[in-house]
Amino acid sequence: MVNLWSNSAYNKNRFENLVSPHIDHLYRLSYRFTGSREDSEDLVQDLLVKLYPRLEEIEAIEKLKPWLAQVLYRLFIDRTRQHKRSVLSVVEDSMEPDSQLDGGAGTEELAAGTLTRERLQESFAVLNEDQRALLSLHDIEGYTLAELVDVLDVPLGTLKSRLNRSRAKLREHLSREPFVENQRVNR
Amino acid sequence: MSCTNHQDLFDEYLDGDLGESQSAQLLSHIEACGACQTKLEQLLVLRNALRQMPVEPARAGFAQAALRQARLAHAAEKSPNPQATGSREPFFRHWFVAGFGGAMAAGLALWAVFTLIGPVQPISEPPMFKLAVLETRDVNLAINVPEDMDGVTLTVELPENFEISGYHGKQQLAWQTRLKKGRNVLTLPVVAMKQGQGQLVARVAHNQKSKLLRVNLQANPADKTSLMAIDLKA
Ligand SMILES: [Zn+2]
């Protein structure tokens, strides 16, 4: 059978068979990272272009899903550093709270269900790329810490403290006065 | 073991990566400890809320188109024709436009390009960006500079009916940064709070020099999609 195909058609099929089942997941992950459809499509597109010549390497990977997540994550971080973060960013480092496991503010709102989806998304967008990626991978998409030690190539202890810092920052931002603030000032 | 030690194991516990005896030990502590119970609850509540954040689906046919594009890019790279290899970036853009037509144009971030120093193109009228009330759109300001610059002060002033996402109630933001030689892009996620018009003014200052970038903003009545976002409040 194989002989009937040209070499490139054969490669095409091998690549597509391996990668296709993961594209939805990769797109979703990208969307968590970037927060926009255009950027996610762009990122996944870029990933596939970079992976295509690495077919033989991909075929040798035992657990393809976390491996792909890793390549995607690195590409995302590289791209944002290149294009944006190293240049200009609105997020000031000083905004990062020091408190580690401080649950505190924002949580009641979360529990009571009064938090708008909008506000959560807004706060999520305020995190830096690393923090957003980490929460996306672990808290949202369910990669375990053990998996992420490999994916992100970071020791477990560091991973935990980063995770806690990201959550604390998210809660800290959520705890700020929501939209009602303006009305209050006016009265 | 202290509460901090116990709380340090929460993630492994929720990941299902804690051994049986450790899990049992952790659970018996949590049952007896109100503080740890609360912490675990907070963790779960946040996680659930995050998981409910929606994902806008990719455009129909995206996966197939992206796979095809990967194949074509690879073929172009292998080709001895230098024109094919040299045109990677524009090639992508072209594909997006060709593949999705108007849909892409509608979703594009808004761009305003400025030159900080050197030959300045006179901009007679600031660019006008339109968005719907409660819609967030990235406004990209591209600033060209002739050399690396440290200690640049950036100030952004917003008209009263607009905000930068994540900076509620702040009509002015200022921060220090550095600019690299060439094109620097500042992405501002602008939210329209109320219907109306106004001007966003960004000031880039370095040593004695400064440059004002002006962008006109117009907030139109919310369409159906934005209104859905409000309904979620309750
Ligand atoms: Zn305890």
Side-chain angles (χ1 to χ4, degrees):
Chain A
M1 283 297 276
V2 169
N3 292 339
L4 296 176
W5 298 344
S6 74
N7 190 36
S8 73
Y10 176 57
N11 281 348
K12 170 198 158 191
N13 256 27
R14 279 159 68 203
F15 183 79
E16 292 197 7
N17 288 342
L18 279 168
V19 175
S20 290
H22 300 285
I23 291 183
D24 281 353
H25 174 67
L26 290 169
Y27 171 82
R28 205 170 62 236
L29 210 48
S30 299
Y31 192 91
R32 304 292 192 195
F33 291 172
T34 65
S36 95
R37 181 174 71 182
E38 281 71 33
D39 289 346
S40 314
E41 288 181 346
D42 233 14
L43 188 63
V44 172
Q45 172 72 85
D46 208 4
L47 177 81
L48 295 182
V49 168
K50 291 206 158 59
L51 289 179
Y52 198 87
R54 295 169 71 180
L55 176 59
E56 277 169 26
E57 191 187 339
I58 297 170
E59 282 180 321
I61 305 289
E62 216 178 298
K63 288 181 181 166
L64 198 52
K65 191 180 156 189
W67 186 84
L68 288 170
Q70 178 183 48
V71 184
L72 182 79
Y73 165 78
R74 292 205 177 135
L75 190 60
F76 166 67
I77 294 295
D78 281 355
R79 274 174 55 144
T80 44
R81 289 212 175 115
Q82 254 172 30
H83 290 302
K84 218 161 63 180
R85 190 145 191 86
S86 68
V87 186
L88 288 176
S89 169
V90 195
V91 183
E92 306 148 71
D93 285 339
S94 60
M95 283 178 53
E96 211 157 306
D98 294 320
S99 57
Q100 285 263 311
L101 262 172
D102 186 23
T107 315
E108 278 165 33
E109 242 185 314
L110 279 167
T114 53
L115 179 75
T116 61
R117 204 184 262 179
E118 229 176 19
R119 268 195 74 215
L120 182 62
Q121 280 175 301
E122 197 180 283
S123 302
F124 194 64
V126 169
L127 300 176
N128 70 37
E129 283 81 18
D130 276 308
Q131 295 171 326
R132 222 159 49 222
L134 187 55
L135 287 180
S136 300
L137 287 161
H138 184 266
D139 285 19
I140 303 179
E141 296 298 333
Y143 284 87
T144 67
L145 285 182
E147 282 172 324
L148 291 180
V149 165
D150 291 331
V151 169
L152 307 178
D153 198 21
V154 172
L156 183 64
T158 314
L159 212 51
K160 281 188 188 175
S161 58
R162 275 198 203 167
L163 208 47
N164 286 331
R165 219 176 304 132
S166 311
R167 291 172 184 147
K169 186 172 172 183
L170 192 58
R171 288 184 179 121
E172 193 260 346
H173 193 267
L174 284 171
S175 73
R176 294 185 200 170
E177 280 285 292
F179 293 152
V180 286
E181 188 180 43
N182 273 348
Q183 296 160 9
R184 236 175 252 172
V185 171
N186 290 342
R187 268 167 212 180
Chain B
M1 269 207 329
S2 70
C3 283
T4 315
N5 291 129
H6 281 110
Q7 287 165 16
D8 195 44
L9 293 173
F10 282 178
D11 279 305
E12 276 106 331
Y13 170 67
L14 295 174
D15 285 350
D17 276 350
L18 222 51
E20 237 173 77
S21 67
Q22 254 185 317
S23 293
Q25 209 259 318
L26 183 65
L27 283 179
S28 74
H29 173 84
I30 293 171
E31 263 168 44
C33 175
C36 282
Q37 255 171 44
T38 309
K39 290 284 180 196
L40 186 59
E41 248 165 51
Q42 286 172 347
L43 205 57
L44 285 169
V45 162
L46 183 65
R47 175 187 287 206
N48 286 339
L50 285 171
R51 288 186 176 180
Q52 279 164 28
M53 287 197 304
V55 172
E56 190 185 352
R59 273 165 282 215
F62 166 73
Q64 280 316 305
L67 283 165
R68 193 185 67 229
Q69 188 57 30
R71 203 167 66 239
L72 291 176
H74 183 59
E77 205 141 85
K78 275 168 63 177
S79 139
N81 177 357
Q83 273 182 323
T85 41
S87 63
R88 254 182 77 149
E89 195 61 25
F91 188 45
F92 289 151
R93 301 294 152 195
H94 178 70
W95 169 74
F96 264 119
V97 174
F100 298 112
M104 186 66 194
L108 275 177
L110 307 155
W111 283 87
V113 180
F114 303 92
T115 303
L116 178 56
I117 292 161
V120 181
Q121 305 290 332
I123 301 167
S124 50
E125 184 67 17
M128 165 72 86
F129 292 163
K130 292 176 184 170
L131 55 173
V133 171
L134 289 182
E135 186 189 17
T136 306
R137 294 200 76 173
D138 284 349
V139 172
N140 289 320
L141 302 178
I143 305 152
N144 291 309
V145 294
E147 59 192 0
D148 287 358
M149 290 180 180
D150 272 325
V152 175
T153 306
L154 273 167
T155 320
V156 175
E157 275 177 55
L158 294 145
E160 64 168 349
N161 43 336
F162 294 89
E163 292 185 359
I164 302 293
S165 173
Y167 292 84
H168 177 65
K170 287 193 184 174
Q171 250 39 69
Q172 192 184 59
L173 296 167
W175 68 101
Q176 292 267 321
T177 188
R178 45 190 278 266
L179 297 175
K180 283 185 172 173
K181 184 183 173 183
R183 181 186 236 208
N184 298 267
V185 176
L186 170 66
T187 301
L188 298 171
V190 173
V191 198
M193 304 305 293
K194 281 188 296 217
Q195 203 178 325
Q197 287 196 14
Q199 197 170 65
L200 179 156
V201 182
R203 185 191 189 85
V204 187
H206 181 249
N207 293 340
Q208 309 307 331
K209 295 169 184 158
S210 75
K211 169 99 185 159
L212 286 183
L213 322 177
R214 294 173 192 279
V215 173
N216 288 332
L217 298 170
Q218 184 185 320
N220 299 317
D223 57 20
K224 257 189 186 164
T225 358
S226 318
L227 286 169
M228 275 167 61
I230 312 173
D231 291 340
L232 291 170
K233 264 185 193 171

